């Protein structure tokens, strides 16, 4: 991803920041990729685990992972013969959760509460 300015006041007009945000939102435009993000927010997973949980074929899951990986949203680490995928950070999961909650509110307000993945729940201090 492109390096972004630190000054949040200037982010709204920074062309690089706007392009990076647009790329991120395009990556999350597919329901399958949102599902992958939500699953990876719970814990890292190998492709075969995502295939089983999403009930998709391996090439489909791999293509969606490639889009997320190319934008630096997920990272793959070799684990023996398999590659285990994880979110690079929690920001993208927060965006996905907010989008799901917002969409439910806009549809008819009847969506059940979308539980936050354990990794994103605030901890008591």
């Amino acid at each position: 991803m492109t390096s972004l300015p630190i000054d949040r006041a200037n982010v709204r007009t920074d062309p690089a920041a706007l392009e990076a945000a647009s790329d991120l939102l395009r990556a999350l435009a597919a329901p399958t990729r949102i599902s992958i993000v939500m699953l990876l927010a719970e814990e890292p997973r190998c492709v075969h685990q995502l295939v089983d949980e999403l009930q998709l074929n391996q090439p489909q899951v791999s293509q969606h992972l490639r889009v997320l990986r190319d934008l630096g949203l997920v990272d793959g680490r070799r684990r023996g013969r398999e590659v285990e995928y994880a979110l690079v950070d929690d920001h993208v999961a927060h965006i996905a959760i907010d989008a799901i909650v917002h969409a439910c509110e806009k549809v008819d307000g009847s969506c059940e509460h979308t539980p936050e993945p354990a990794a994103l729940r605030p901890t008591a201090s």
Side-chain angles (χ1 to χ4, degrees):
M1 273 196 162
T2 309
S3 176
L4 299 178
I6 295 173
D7 182 4
R8 290 181 185 257
N10 292 325
V11 169
R12 291 183 306 229
T13 58
D14 183 292
L18 297 175
E19 186 66 29
S22 178
D23 290 344
L24 170 63
L25 294 174
R26 261 193 304 277
L28 294 176
T32 298
R33 288 195 287 273
I34 292 173
S35 295
I36 290 171
V37 165
M38 298 304 294
L39 289 169
L40 295 180
E42 293 173 1
E43 65 181 354
R45 287 174 164 82
C46 296
V47 173
H48 73 87
Q49 293 170 306
L50 292 169
V51 165
D52 292 343
E53 292 184 64
L54 297 169
Q55 297 182 338
L56 297 171
N57 62 45
Q58 184 271 327
Q60 287 175 309
V61 171
S62 292
Q63 287 174 358
H64 287 293
L65 282 168
R66 186 183 67 232
V67 171
L68 296 170
R69 191 180 61 241
D70 288 350
L71 281 174
L73 304 177
V74 301
D75 186 31
R77 294 185 185 99
R78 182 134 320 261
R79 191 177 80 179
R81 292 179 32 196
E82 300 178 315
V83 176
E84 184 177 71
Y85 289 91
L87 293 179
V88 172
D89 61 44
D90 289 339
H91 290 114
V92 69
H94 288 288
I95 293 168
I97 290 168
D98 287 347
I100 293 166
V101 170
H102 180 74
C104 288
E105 291 170 352
K106 291 295 183 184
V107 171
D108 63 7
S110 67
C111 289
E112 295 178 23
H113 172 70
T114 305
E116 292 185 21
L120 300 179
R121 288 190 193 115
T123 56
S125 353

